[in-house]
Amino acid sequence: MKAYSLHALAGMLNAQLRGSAGLQIHGLGTLQNAGPGQLAFLASASYRKQLVDTRAGAVLLRAEDADGFDGNCLVVPDPYLAYARLSHLFDRKPVAQPGIHPTAVIAASAQVAASASIGPGVVIESEAYIGDNVTLGAHCFVGARSRIGKDGWLAPRVTLYHDVTIGERVVIQSGAVLGGEGFGFAKQDGEWLKIAQIGGVSVGDDVEIGANTTIDRGALDDTRIGNDVKLDNQIMIAHNVEVGDHTAMAACVGISGSTRIGRNCMLAGGVGLVGHIEICDNVFVTGMTMVTHSITEPGAYSSGTAMQPAGDWKKNAVRFRQLDDMARRIRALEKNDRK
Amino acid sequence: MKAYSLHALAGMLNAQLRGSAGLQIHGLGTLQNAGPGQLAFLASASYRKQLVDTRAGAVLLRAEDADGFDGNCLVVPDPYLAYARLSHLFDRKPVAQPGIHPTAVIAASAQVAASASIGPGVVIESEAYIGDNVTLGAHCFVGARSRIGKDGWLAPRVTLYHDVTIGERVVIQSGAVLGGEGFGFAKQDGEWLKIAQIGGVSVGDDVEIGANTTIDRGALDDTRIGNDVKLDNQIMIAHNVEVGDHTAMAACVGISGSTRIGRNCMLAGGVGLVGHIEICDNVFVTGMTMVTHSITEPGAYSSGTAMQPAGDWKKNAVRFRQLDDMARRIRALEKNDRK
Amino acid sequence: MKAYSLHALAGMLNAQLRGSAGLQIHGLGTLQNAGPGQLAFLASASYRKQLVDTRAGAVLLRAEDADGFDGNCLVVPDPYLAYARLSHLFDRKPVAQPGIHPTAVIAASAQVAASASIGPGVVIESEAYIGDNVTLGAHCFVGARSRIGKDGWLAPRVTLYHDVTIGERVVIQSGAVLGGEGFGFAKQDGEWLKIAQIGGVSVGDDVEIGANTTIDRGALDDTRIGNDVKLDNQIMIAHNVEVGDHTAMAACVGISGSTRIGRNCMLAGGVGLVGHIEICDNVFVTGMTMVTHSITEPGAYSSGTAMQPAGDWKKNAVRFRQLDDMARRIRALEKNDRK
């Protein structure tokens, strides 16, 4: 296991070191669970009391929290950010070696960079392009004419259909499907007629796509994911959706066709959006909210009802169905009241 | 890239051609984005103003919209349907060649039609049957005794467990799982005892199943999907559900065990249904609705609350928990009022 | 097809047999659909009237239901439990033979028990461990240092990343992903900085994990699933969630990061939980409930509104946004009323 001296870590972070510079740090942990060889962090004043009992070998903290603390510490302006930066030192995620596994099946017309790592059972179809230092985990499928920019990392079992374009430094987790055929059907004499989905998917740089997330190809134009977009697991993005730069979505969000989402938005878990609406920049939507119309002002938005014991809830839920009637009765009472 | 003369397209659609019959069309596009070699369509009067500025080489439109328009056009009774039909001409989805990829693993007792295309790494188990002109994408798995009718198309990485029967012309997108073991457990002395799921899955003709959708096998009898059913991505269909012909479901719908859904229904995205209920024919359920009881009358149904700014929402959500109390107080006021 | 005499089945269940001991039973069915060679069960008094018309060869029932019944039957204290136990006799799920398929790719440093069955295209990475009698279906991926305890059964196409530890007798359905990188990012100068997810996943004994369910690895410590936990399909469990023993979750549940769920809980379909909360033991949450705070008392909990015709719903949904105002107006009316 790799280890770093506290002195070395201070250097990487440009942090002020208090205590034992030679202490060897071989991992990270929470204040509660870290041991003597581990570095913990105090990200928020609300955890300050855990500082007293921590067994951590050293702690990342702010100057104002360091003063009462007599253990080893690295003083930084933003301990959470410092932890984020150091986390990569201690990541045991295997690093794949360049080269093509003998069981991979690669079309003659596909282009694969010599520095790329192509895992067992990977299938790459005609005219696809795999850039420098890209890793494709086992059983990945890259369809015809699809392109993955340099430094991408695809976990085992990611599917890209044909004509999917991925930017640089993109990470895609297992089970994600990009370029599946969007849900387009026209009714003809009582039966569904399929509409071919002839657009593609276009994904920017520095994007992260979670496990089992699906991004459908466009009907005519591409479905578009901007730069630095972060998508958690089991998200569903329908055909021709557009997502702006730096927007993040937690798990289980579903976005219907042709909806456009701005930059720097955050959608919490389980949020659903109807199709053909626009969400402006800098919008935050709380968990499980049903978004039924466009949002034109930055800010936080919500829907739903708050949880309560099921017996009470049943009574209130019955009343919800009478709400319009209740409102009219209040109005009537007010009229009488004023007489 | 394939191209068709406007004259040829008019012939396919039995459309009236106005303008340049020899114009070569090599793609489709929206009124907004189509270029000079592309055909656009005006599906709804609300987009009529886009007709003025369109750069499209030609437009599909109704007779009443054609009169003010002096560009090239094909006059048809239903432009959206005409677009749906033509879309397949311009689909760049690769067409697989008949034959079995050398890396496929096929049980000796399985039957695979000579016209079928079996991709790299596909696994087909004992006594399975693959019909004429079926395409199995890379890494598909077809379990023992499962059957896929003629002209089926399975994207890469589709899993059919054993005893799953698929009709003709069925399309299944990547990551779908058919025949997984339904969620059946009995409590015994505080522990869960698994109930073997000995039914199968039965899927009709002309069905479409979306990416990462799951359809569990039946506990005793089969889970049944009718003809011409269209299922979007990430839908969950539990054991012994039955879905009637021509019913369509948008993404992220979840249906609990043994629920029966009629014909010609539409479930919008994120709808959830409890188990053991029945939905009659011709029901439309709006997005994210929680369906807790049977529906016996055709029509549209909804639940949930409408989105609003989070600050306002919090105040109203608190009041929801007082709704029954509010209703009683209105009643009391009314009694006094009448005195 | 296997068959068992009614006498033999009575012996397995320690049941009282009434009727033809030699009757050959070759399957199970519902009272409604079972035929003469099948055994049905009467689990609840509400289905008692189906007893009259059943064509089942024999029926599992309670002593009090047996008295009016003159067909063949096995009298047991809990017919549903008896059915659960017998169901495994009639399961046609293929049993894999021990051995490693020649197309599997197994690291030299991995340990695979001789009694394990490793399917086509399976990939097992360095220092992984596969215990006795474990079945890995086709295309499973087991990452570095991951461990699967004895008698485990993984369907085709299950992904375990590195450092995922699975107990004994664990069943995992197709498409499940364990150990995907949790959704951890810090904002730095308007861009997202990824936090390496250096914890693993730890799963207890006798756990069942459904199709396309995702369980992310921990940020620092492990994500933990207790013993005898049952997870249905398309569930999302975020980093550092902890789930207590015997807890069951229906499909499409989503649990945000670091939330702790107690023992013997049941979460119905589509429930969502925010992060960093605690749910005590013995809690039942009804379908699609949004859980926004900790639950400290056992019992049943709900949220949401009940479905109604869409026209009525629209009127009431508008009023929801006025609820706080309505409550204030009731208060004002009451004040005047008391004067």
Side-chain angles (χ1 to χ4, degrees), chain A residues 103 105 121-123 125 139-141 144-145 157-159 161-163 175-177 180-183 185-188 190-198 212-216 219-221 234-236 253-254 270-273 276 285-286 288-295 300-308 313 315-317 319-323 326-327 329-330 332-333 336-337, chain B residues 27-30 33 41 47 78 80-81 83-85 87-94 101 103 120 138-139 153 155-157 171-175 206 208 211-212 228-234 246-252 264-266 269 287-290 292-293 303-311 313-314 317-318 320-331 333-334 337:
Chain A
T103 60
V105 176
V122 166
V123 175
E125 298 216 308
H139 308 130
C140 280
F141 176 89
R145 297 175 303 276
R157 201 214 323 156
V158 169
T159 300
Y161 281 55
H162 55 286
D163 297 304
V177 178
E181 296 179 279
F183 199 62
F185 300 93
K187 256 283 158 77
Q188 182 179 34
E191 306 212 335
W192 294 109
L193 178 64
K194 177 163 183 155
I195 300 171
Q197 303 290 302
I198 63 183
N212 286 348
T213 280
T214 56
I215 304 178
D216 277 352
L220 291 166
D221 303 319
Q234 298 197 35
I235 287 172
M236 162 59 189
V253 166
V271 165
L273 287 83
H276 297 273
V285 183
T286 64
M288 296 177 83
T289 291
M290 171 167 77
V291 183
T292 52
H293 54 79
S294 291
I295 299 178
Y301 295 85
S302 304
S303 79
T305 78
M307 183 188 65
Q308 58 187 150
W313 173 80
K315 288 183 205 158
N316 294 324
R319 298 300 188 183
F320 179 86
R321 295 197 282 198
Q322 306 164 355
L323 253 187
M326 284 168 62
R329 286 155 62 196
I330 293 172
L333 285 164
N336 282 348
D337 198 46
Chain B
L28 301 175
T30 57
N33 295 334
F41 59 97
Y47 292 102
D78 185 336
Y80 191 67
L81 206 54
Y83 147 61
R85 289 174 59 195
S87 66
H88 298 273
L89 298 178
F90 301 101
D91 194 358
R92 298 189 73 199
K93 180 167 150 177
H101 195 274
T103 59
H139 308 131
W153 186 86
R157 200 214 324 155
V171 171
I172 311 183
Q173 307 289 340
S174 269
D206 302 299
E208 179 119 5
N212 285 350
D228 195 33
V229 168
K230 306 298 177 185
L231 304 178
D232 197 354
N233 297 354
Q234 298 198 36
H246 312 298
T247 284
M249 305 184 196
C252 306
N264 297 307
C265 292
M266 293 193 63
M288 296 177 83
T289 291
M290 170 167 77
T292 52
H293 54 79
S303 79
T305 77
M307 183 187 66
Q308 58 188 148
W313 174 80
K314 263 182 208 160
V318 164
F320 179 87
R321 294 198 281 199
Q322 306 164 355
L323 254 187
D324 186 52
D325 179 58
M326 284 167 62
R328 289 170 191 280
R329 285 155 60 195
I330 293 172
R331 168 70 66 203
L333 285 163
E334 286 171 336
D337 198 46

Side-chain angles (χ1 to χ4, degrees), chain B residues 226-247:
Chain B
N227 295 314
D228 195 33
V229 168
K230 306 298 177 185
L231 304 178
D232 197 354
N233 297 354
Q234 298 198 36
I235 286 172
M236 163 59 190
I237 297 196
H239 48 185
N240 298 105
V241 165
E242 299 185 21
V243 180
D245 296 349
H246 312 298
T247 284

Side-chain angles (χ1 to χ4, degrees), chain A residues 307-314, chain C residues 300-302:
Chain A
M307 183 188 65
Q308 58 187 150
D312 298 339
W313 173 80
K314 262 182 208 159
Chain C
Y301 294 85
S302 304

Side-chain angles (χ1 to χ4, degrees), chain B residues 163-223:
Chain B
D163 297 304
V164 172
T165 301
I166 306 285
E168 301 181 352
R169 296 172 301 281
V170 170
V171 171
I172 311 183
Q173 307 289 340
S174 269
V177 178
L178 277 73
E181 297 180 279
F183 199 63
F185 299 94
K187 256 283 159 76
Q188 182 180 33
D189 304 329
E191 306 212 335
W192 293 108
L193 177 65
K194 177 164 182 155
I195 300 171
Q197 303 290 302
I198 63 184
V201 175
S202 163
V203 173
D205 296 331
D206 302 299
V207 169
E208 179 119 5
I209 297 172
N212 285 350
T213 280
T214 56
I215 305 178
D216 277 351
R217 63 193 314 107
L220 290 166
D221 303 320
D222 282 3
T223 303

